[in-house]
Amino acid sequence: MKFRHYVMAAAMLAAFGTTFVSCSEETDGTENPSGQGGNDQSGDNQGGSAYDLTVEGNVEGTWTKGSRIHVTGHITVPEGKSLNIEEGVELIFATEGVGVNHVPVEFIVKGNLYCNGTAENPILMSVPENQRLAENIFQEEHQWGGIVAYPSCAEMLINYTTIEYTGGQVIEGSPAASAGIYEAGDDAYPQITTNNPDGNYVITNSTIRYGWSDGIYMMGGNAIIANNIFAGNGYDGAESVNVKAGCKVDVAGNIMYAPNTNGLKLSSDGQDDVTRAQGRIKAYNNTIFNAGWRRDGEKGGCIYAEKNVRADVFNNMLVNCKYRAQTPGWKDPNNIEEGYDSKSVIDYNCYISGNRQSDVIWGGEMNDEGEWEAGSGIAYAWEGYNYEHKNYHTAEFTTADGTVVPGIDVHSVIATETNLPDPAFVNYDINTAKMSEVVYDEAWDFHTANVIAGAYSGNEAFAQPYFQTAGLTVNGQTYYSPAVKAHFGVYGAN
């Protein structure tokens, strides 16, 4: 039966123009000590299983259910073509890199990509199984280049798909650098990149974890990002979801665990009057854990809105994060170089703090002038929520030109030293969890036993998702954003 599968798959790829390198009975090493990823544990060599195909170059057509594919070089879905990946397919990316520079392997999408796994049989995009170790999460030699969707990518579906161990450095010879998408020597690969303001992207029910850079970096497109788990995004900076100009996005029902800087970085950076409109985001019913502690200084913490972005952020639960939502330059709203759109609403959120001290405390640093800048000394989340941060503002104010700027988190629930609301997660202790940990435990259960009052009902215009009614059509099917739920975070009480 396996021989028949090899022959049929090879014939299929040849018919669709895929570069076909080999079809050997190779294995990828030892069993997975960390238990991360891997759908097929059958076969020889201590849990490794033979690859059905080894590929590089142009790819299109369909990769059939349960196939196991070794990606040894850059793969590209050509412009005007599509690649369908069915449930249970495993893409194992070689980490040796390409060429003498060892360029991280990129999954380039110039056409359309449709990854449609199931809850029972998700798609996996990872590195060889014996490299999926906690100590390798941010090691460059154990990473691939992520999915890079070019401006010609019109549609992409990522559904029930695990994407992990990405974020190699963009270097000379990287296709993304040659295309001008990223800069060699300055950037690392996000796990998913989009760059078409007219594109439609649906990323749902997936796990996006253990990447050097951002989980999702959107430089353009309409998107639904819903019901995903983000974990361990960013080694030195970076966020779970990073949105720029040219985007209209609903971000809802996601768990964002231990991002280096923020769960949500919302910006209209790159906005112009021709190709990239104002960045617009509705972010609601997300739960963000432990954001910001792995980054020194006063950056990061959970949510960051900047550069004229229109950001409506509400009914989110922020758990043991370093700071509250921030809006730099808020005294000069509606300025592309400064603060966020004054019509934005960042309110009706819930900031939860345990009583555990962080193991990472910013004591200070030398600035560029060689002068010592004292740190905040924040050790507990409740301290960060109530810290006199330069980028907090709590009250409505009116600018000199008469623009009314609403306060941030005026109606939010904010923990203090003497008032520590506890959602009582079914299986996660906010008082003992280490705030700098990045490994996600799938046994955690974030349903809550306690109802914390104060969430928004969702009746006003600002709280209407962009794609709840009209939806987004991808590959002939229309997908809809989740409805706003009148509770904080992803889950209500059991």
Side-chain angles (χ1 to χ4, degrees):
M1 178 65 78
K2 185 172 286 290
F3 176 78
R4 178 175 178 271
H5 184 77
Y6 288 161
V7 173
M8 291 181 65
M12 175 193 73
L13 289 178
F16 285 108
T18 299
T19 300
F20 180 70
V21 178
S22 70
C23 212
S24 63
E25 289 273 354
E26 57 185 316
T27 60
D28 72 356
T30 61
E31 62 185 339
N32 176 11
S34 65
Q36 299 296 335
N39 297 330
D40 182 0
Q41 300 301 310
S42 63
D44 300 326
N45 199 7
Q46 303 181 50
S49 56
Y51 294 113
D52 297 313
L53 297 167
T54 299
V55 298
E56 62 180 10
N58 289 343
V59 292
E60 59 177 295
T62 299
W63 286 344
T64 56
K65 175 180 177 180
S67 299
R68 198 161 189 273
I69 298 168
H70 194 197
V71 184
T72 56
H74 307 306
I75 55 174
T76 301
V77 181
E79 185 172 354
K81 305 295 184 180
S82 297
L83 175 65
N84 295 276
I85 302 178
E86 296 183 342
E87 65 179 277
V89 171
E90 292 187 1
L91 279 70
I92 308 303
F93 290 82
T95 56
E96 295 84 1
V98 178
V100 295
N101 286 349
H102 303 286
V103 174
V105 174
E106 295 182 19
F107 190 163
I108 300 164
V109 184
K110 297 180 179 179
N112 303 315
L113 175 64
Y114 309 116
C115 301
N116 207 354
T118 64
E120 298 77 19
N121 207 12
I123 294 164
L124 175 67
M125 299 185 190
S126 189
V127 297
E129 189 173 0
N130 62 339
Q131 298 182 39
R132 296 174 215 158
L133 307 172
E135 58 264 33
N136 289 342
I137 288 175
F138 298 124
Q139 298 299 317
E140 295 178 38
E141 63 269 25
H142 301 285
Q143 296 171 339
W144 58 286
I147 298 172
V148 185
Y150 279 45
S152 57
C153 173
E155 296 184 344
M156 186 162 62
L157 171 68
I158 308 290
N159 187 40
Y160 287 111
T161 299
T162 295
I163 302 173
E164 60 183 13
Y165 292 93
T166 70
Q169 303 299 300
V170 179
I171 60 177
E172 292 294 334
S174 297
S178 299
I181 296 174
Y182 292 115
E183 186 170 342
D186 287 340
D187 292 323
Y189 294 97
Q191 292 173 279
I192 299 173
T193 297
T194 74
N195 199 15
N196 180 358
D198 297 319
N200 287 348
Y201 308 108
V202 174
I203 303 170
T204 51
N205 306 308
S206 293
T207 299
I208 300 170
R209 63 188 175 195
Y210 311 151
W212 180 284
S213 186
D214 301 301
I216 298 175
Y217 188 81
M218 291 197 66
M219 292 182 282
N222 307 299
I224 298 171
I225 301 173
N227 305 325
N228 303 291
I229 295 173
F230 296 84
N233 305 117
Y235 172 69
D236 183 15
E239 359 287 313
S240 295
V241 175
N242 191 338
V243 181
K244 303 301 185 187
C247 298
K248 184 164 73 171
V249 187
D250 288 334
V251 186
N254 301 283
I255 292 170
M256 300 177 181
Y257 179 77
N260 178 275
T261 308
N262 295 284
L264 297 165
K265 184 173 182 181
L266 311 176
S267 176
S268 199
D269 187 26
Q271 179 179 335
D272 59 40
D273 295 328
V274 180
T275 59
R276 296 190 184 272
Q278 180 186 36
R280 292 172 288 169
I281 300 96
K282 308 281 186 179
Y284 56 96
N285 290 126
N286 301 288
T287 304
I288 303 175
F289 292 87
N290 306 337
W293 293 105
R294 294 188 292 113
R295 176 148 189 181
D296 287 341
E298 294 193 12
K299 287 190 175 182
C302 60
I303 298 162
Y304 187 79
E306 65 166 6
K307 297 189 177 181
N308 197 41
V309 70
R310 173 65 189 273
D312 296 312
V313 182
F314 58 97
N315 285 6
N316 301 287
M317 181 177 285
L318 303 313
V319 182
N320 281 340
C321 294
K322 186 177 180 181
Y323 296 116
R324 287 181 9 228
Q326 300 178 42
T327 60
W330 53 267
K331 290 185 177 180
D332 188 11
N334 312 316
N335 182 331
I336 293 177
E337 298 302 321
E338 294 291 342
Y340 71 123
D341 189 319
S342 61
K343 296 185 292 297
S344 298
V345 175
I346 303 176
D347 203 354
Y348 303 97
N349 298 300
C350 180
Y351 295 86
I352 297 295
S353 172
N355 54 27
R356 175 171 177 155
Q357 178 175 301
S358 172
D359 53 320
V360 180
I361 300 172
W362 183 48
E365 63 184 0
M366 299 296 291
N367 63 24
D368 293 339
E369 286 73 39
E371 300 170 337
W372 177 258
E373 291 186 354
S376 64
I378 289 171
Y380 300 91
W382 58 265
E383 287 184 306
Y385 300 157
N386 296 279
Y387 176 66
E388 292 186 11
H389 201 292
K390 62 182 179 180
N391 294 330
Y392 288 170
H393 74 279
T394 57
E396 179 182 291
F397 67 95
T398 303
T399 64
D401 66 359
T403 300
V404 176
V405 181
I408 287 182
D409 287 323
V410 172
H411 302 95
S412 295
V413 176
I414 302 173
T416 66
E417 182 178 13
T418 58
N419 181 19
L420 299 175
D422 187 354
F425 293 117
V426 171
N427 184 22
Y428 184 85
D429 189 344
I430 63 172
N431 296 307
T432 61
K434 186 177 181 180
M435 289 186 281
S436 61
E437 180 59 75
V438 298
V439 176
Y440 186 87
D441 187 342
E442 294 181 0
W444 288 331
D445 185 341
F446 297 122
H447 289 84
T448 61
N450 292 339
V451 175
I452 299 174
Y456 187 67
S457 64
N459 294 327
E460 293 185 31
F462 81 84
Q464 306 309 305
Y466 290 117
F467 304 113
Q468 182 183 342
T469 301
L472 276 181
T473 300
V474 174
N475 199 22
Q477 180 173 340
T478 302
Y479 298 84
Y480 299 92
S481 296
V484 173
K485 298 178 177 63
H487 58 67
F488 296 117
V490 175
Y491 303 115
N494 280 352

